[in-house]
Amino acid sequence: MVLSIIKLFFIGFLGFFQTDQPTFKGGKEALDSFIASKTIYPSFSKNNCIQGTIYVSFQLNQNGEVFGAKVDKGLGVDLDQEALRLVRLTNNKWDVPTNHNIKSRIIIPVNFSLKNYDCDLRSQDEVNKAIELYKTRAALEKVVTNYYKNKEEGKAIDKNEAEIIQIKAELGFDDTFISNKIKEAKKMMRQGDKVGACQALNFIKNIGSNAAESLIAENCK
């Protein structure tokens, strides 16, 4: 079971949901429920029992639209991107008072917790090593995606593709990985998260697969 717990802090204010502060429509319980229902626990962190709190800050305009969202404090793994995605999904779900200062920033700490994944058997040292491994993988992923972006533009050196294919194998970018990534993208699309879905689909494209071409053509142009 995946748990995602969320609280709100307003920079410059002392309490939660006070008068003249933006409030999530339905209140804090509704926000907690919304976040829990939308969370797609990232596969690397789930498989490696990486848990923790990601702090995301953002601003709201008078229409309750989220802008300027960024990770203020993260773990440097895929949980950071998911926390940011979840905050962006709250777009248009806020009641904003007329005297709200749109320059003020709201901080949401999103807590990711795994249950029934035998994570109590993992030592903190093992988790820390997994976090470092993720950072190494991210650098290799960039090598792969840069190659295929350059290839699409006719700038890649063909003789280097054998090395890129080897890196892809080391990263586990196989048919199962691609299939799971497409499922995640479709789930995001059902949630109304077109931006997140298209990012996932274009990632598939940028690792040299054409498996997402039709979905990209249909949804991401």
Side-chain angles (χ1 to χ4, degrees):
M1 179 174 61
V2 174
L3 301 178
S4 181
I5 303 169
I6 193 165
K7 297 179 181 177
L8 265 67
F9 296 100
F10 293 84
I11 297 176
F13 296 94
L14 297 177
F16 302 141
F17 299 107
Q18 296 176 359
T19 304
D20 295 330
Q21 295 181 14
T23 58
F24 189 81
K25 295 176 180 179
K28 182 181 178 301
E29 288 186 4
L31 177 58
D32 288 344
S33 178
F34 177 82
I35 292 296
S37 69
K38 300 297 184 181
T39 298
I40 302 174
Y41 210 105
S43 57
F44 184 89
S45 288
K46 183 166 63 175
N47 293 336
N48 289 281
C49 289
I50 300 175
Q51 308 171 79
T53 302
I54 312 301
Y55 292 84
V56 178
S57 70
F58 63 100
Q59 294 162 267
L60 289 169
N61 65 18
Q62 292 297 335
N63 296 320
E65 296 171 333
V66 173
F67 69 99
K70 66 177 183 177
V71 174
D72 274 11
K73 183 179 179 181
L75 294 175
V77 295
D78 45 9
L79 292 180
D80 293 6
Q81 288 73 42
E82 178 61 9
L84 188 59
R85 188 186 76 86
L86 290 168
V87 169
R88 287 173 175 162
L89 276 177
T90 67
N91 190 56
N92 289 318
K93 298 185 181 297
W94 296 85
D95 289 321
V96 181
T98 56
N99 62 349
H100 171 64
N101 181 0
I102 65 171
K103 293 182 179 180
S104 64
R105 297 189 68 83
I106 301 166
I107 298 177
I108 292 182
V110 184
N111 181 56
F112 292 95
S113 178
L114 291 166
K115 303 296 182 183
N116 302 325
Y117 280 84
D118 293 327
C119 289
D120 55 329
L121 302 178
R122 300 281 186 101
S123 69
Q124 188 57 51
D125 184 57
E126 289 176 308
V127 173
N128 290 340
K129 287 180 179 178
I131 291 173
E132 291 306 311
L133 174 61
Y134 179 89
K135 295 175 182 178
T136 300
R137 285 178 55 90
L140 291 174
E141 286 179 7
K142 190 172 183 179
V143 170
V144 173
T145 56
N146 282 345
Y147 175 83
Y148 284 106
K149 287 176 182 177
N150 287 333
K151 184 176 181 178
E152 185 177 16
E153 296 174 3
K155 299 177 182 179
I157 301 174
D158 290 342
K159 67 179 183 180
N160 291 342
E161 189 160 12
E163 181 181 352
I164 297 298
I165 291 172
Q166 178 61 37
I167 294 173
K168 287 169 59 177
E170 292 173 4
L171 291 171
F173 289 169
D174 55 14
D175 290 344
T176 299
F177 173 87
I178 291 170
S179 176
N180 288 336
K181 201 73 175 176
I182 289 175
K183 287 178 183 177
E184 287 182 5
K186 288 181 177 179
K187 186 172 183 179
M188 291 177 190
M189 199 70 72
R190 290 195 296 271
Q191 292 178 353
D193 183 13
K194 185 175 180 179
V195 171
C198 289
Q199 286 176 343
L201 293 172
N202 277 300
F203 179 80
I204 294 170
K205 174 185 175 182
N206 291 331
I207 61 172
S209 171
N210 60 8
E213 280 188 357
S214 60
L215 288 170
I216 292 171
E218 183 180 350
N219 300 287
C220 304
K221 298 298 184 180

